[in-house]
Amino acid sequence: MDRNGAASPLPDDTEHDTAAETRQIRRLHALLTAELEDATARTQGVLGGATGEELSARWERDVAVHRWSDRAAALRAARSGLCFGRLDHTGGTTSYIGRIGLTDPADGESALLDWRAPDARPFYCATPVTPLGVTRRRHFEIAGTAPDERVAAFHDDVLDESVAAETDAGSASDPALLAALTAPRGSTMRDIVTTIQAEQDEIIRLPLSGTVVIEGGPGTGKTAVALHRVAYLLYTHRERLARSGVLVVGPSAGFIRYVGGVLPALGESAVVFTTPGRLAHGVVATAVDPPEVARTKGDLAMVDVLRRAVADRQELPGEPIPIELEDVTVEIDDATAAEARRRARATGFPHNRARATFRDALGGLLVDQGLERLDHRLEDPPELAELLAGLGDLPEIEPAGAAEVTAELRQGLRDNLRADLGFHAAVERLWPVLTPQRALAELYGSPGRLAAAGDGRDLSGLARDRGAEWTVADAPLLDELAELLGEPPAGHAGPAEPDGRYASEVLSILESADRELAGEDPDELRPTDFVTADVLAARHVAGTSGTVAERAAADRDWRYGHLVVDEAQELSAMDWHVLLRRCPSRSITAVGDLAQRSAPAGAASWADVLGPHLAERWTHRTLTVNYRTPTEIMTPAAAVLAGYAPDHTPPVSVRATGVHPWERTVPAHALAGALRAAVDEEQERVGQGTVAVIAAGTADLPALDGVPVHTPVSAKGLEFDAVVIVDPERVRAANPADLYVSMTRATQRLGQLRCS
């Protein structure tokens, strides 16, 4: 019986059942339409209302707008394929499962269960051995477009023996899954809410807290599981994660484009996507270093290298620097600069912020030096001293206004120093304002600076030409430098001599020094002083426009509630170092396959990259079933894996196609023509499906209209109906894992063009 007490239709009358289920689907669409109209009206009503003068009123208005607009967006996203299944329970009730939860306003009862709800879990996990209170699970095949979708067919899994005997139904196969696996691939990843498997569902529903590493071979659905886990966590922990957001890191921009539509299709928008080459705010790096250089840059030892590099920019003058003031000349010597540097470093502030303390302390020391020199100049001349000595003992007379004269001299020196461009130029030389880009470029460009930062370690391999583009391995170094340097002073234009505006902004040389040294300026708190996600989330919402994703992407100091890392085996220890700073709660989902590692500084083991940060506080889960790659392709791919990583077990394919991979050997001069012919042939065979070419190098390949050409690295995480690998031995020679990756991108057909 359904929740209204009506008898549940039995599968012996397929046509009747199909019509009844279609009526239910249309009814659910009507409920969705009504709720969408209500949410839209509420959004417009809040926007049209009075904003009020109080900050709290504006904040409440913004919160209401976000709440109703987010609900409207989720409802719109759920319209296509709204309901995809049904559960018949042992108590005689029926539940429908879909992309979003809907309530019937007539009785307040649930009309549609969100796939992420606890009560929907049996749809993915119930088995005849463990039926979880379910007698039958029904999968719908939906046709048409919303709101006129209809049930074209359905498939029943009978989980109760009595019902199975009564209906003579039940099947060990899963037509819904097989249909999804054999469907043509498009240019973007599709969600898998209708076909999530039990081992995937278990991982998707793991708790928010803690770090979980999901390892699985090609085609095991690692990426899909990670993205659906994000959707599940946003559903289960909406209040927290919808404000702090989720950061998803993928291996390449192409990969981000491929998977970027999955979460919006599930109605989730509080997500920021990025790549390792974008870890430095405002930098998009795509170039790659030679392997040895990449390994050096990816080593966690670079944290100390960069600290020494920054400290090396806090210099001593060597030779005294004279500062000519109106009444006296003072000198910045090593001792004076060293004392100012000591005071500045004692604050613990980042380099650029501590510069103000250095400048103030240096100025104070120079003022004291100037007073001392003026005092010597104002001493009585020798002849007057002799005359006074001959007069015998006389009562000492305190010069009238001596304290006032000293204060006036001090203020005059202060003013002279504050306006002196030579003083500011000296400060810039000894403690320059630095950006991460300037600091790293000047480090790479100076053998002396590299030697000082290396502290006995040879870093000469990091040298590069001025103006060379940033590499992916530079991105975490730039981000680490941003942390060490802090923001430049407002209005600072660079290393040029300071203008009048900059001079007018310097702090009072003596009065502010003590406050800065004590660190007692409450107005100078940085966002990184806060580490709890809830406090940060509240700060991010209040008084700020834009979606959570927009605000998070624009704020380098944003702290996310959850971090997802795809192709995690490619990340270096430095990548992890800067990423974990963005997620202080250590709520992380990392997915990858050590057997597919190609990055020189990537993970040889998960403990290597996670141990320094998490010790043993992380969980490892494994996916073992290959849903993408058919047996005919996986068999030769597994042989490649055994050749370089015999300790890794390949995943087991769930299907066979009967289509075996082909190989052709052609002369090098005929490769271009053979490749065009092979691509044309594959396009004809897959019809509306996708074809891709993968090669170790793409520069010498002919133009292939509409067919993407990838390297093994850029193909990571992607899938195509047919793949043609050019010169597989060259791919293998570069990295055996690259050939394994290339072969397992195909879902239907694989061809290899060998060169003779």
Side-chain angles (χ1 to χ4, degrees), residues 42-98:
R42 288 177 181 268
T43 302
Q44 294 172 345
V46 174
L47 285 171
T51 61
E53 296 298 325
E54 297 294 330
L55 177 62
S56 61
R58 294 197 300 272
W59 181 81
E60 290 174 0
R61 172 178 174 272
D62 288 344
V63 169
V65 167
H66 282 299
R67 181 174 67 250
W68 290 112
S69 61
D70 286 351
R71 180 59 177 174
L75 290 165
R76 282 191 291 269
R79 285 183 295 189
S80 180
L82 173 62
C83 176
F84 50 79
R86 181 183 113 177
L87 293 174
D88 294 350
H89 304 282
T90 53
T93 58
T94 294
S95 301
Y96 283 88
I97 314 299

Side-chain angles (χ1 to χ4, degrees), residues 277-430:
R278 294 174 179 262
L279 290 181
H281 202 65
V283 173
V284 179
T286 57
V288 294
D289 289 299
E292 190 56 40
V293 174
R295 274 190 286 270
T296 299
K297 291 181 179 180
D299 194 312
L300 199 59
M302 286 300 294
V303 172
D304 290 329
V305 168
L306 295 176
R307 286 176 181 156
R308 289 191 292 267
V310 171
D312 186 52
R313 304 306 301 269
Q314 299 161 3
E315 302 179 12
L316 302 179
E319 295 294 328
I321 302 174
I323 307 294
E324 296 183 4
L325 304 179
E326 288 184 3
D327 299 317
V328 67
T329 296
V330 294
E331 289 183 334
I332 304 174
D333 55 19
D334 282 356
T336 304
E339 174 59 20
R341 183 173 69 177
R342 184 194 65 77
R343 296 184 189 181
R345 288 177 173 175
T347 65
F349 293 155
H351 172 88
N352 286 331
R353 185 179 172 194
R355 168 193 162 101
T357 301
F358 174 77
R359 179 192 59 217
D360 296 345
L362 182 62
L365 293 169
L366 291 179
V367 167
D368 289 343
Q369 183 187 122
L371 284 173
E372 182 179 356
R373 293 187 176 186
L374 283 172
D375 185 57
H376 284 303
R377 283 172 47 185
L378 295 175
E379 286 182 355
D380 294 334
E383 58 273 16
L384 179 59
E386 292 178 5
L387 177 62
L388 292 173
L391 296 176
D393 293 335
L394 295 175
E396 292 187 6
I397 301 174
E398 181 70 21
E404 289 80 359
V405 171
T406 300
E408 187 174 333
L409 285 174
R410 184 180 294 276
Q411 184 62 46
L413 288 172
R414 241 189 246 128
D415 293 341
N416 287 171
L417 202 58
R418 183 181 295 116
D420 191 272
L421 294 181
F423 170 69
H424 294 294
V427 170
E428 178 63 30
R429 170 187 161 187
L430 301 177

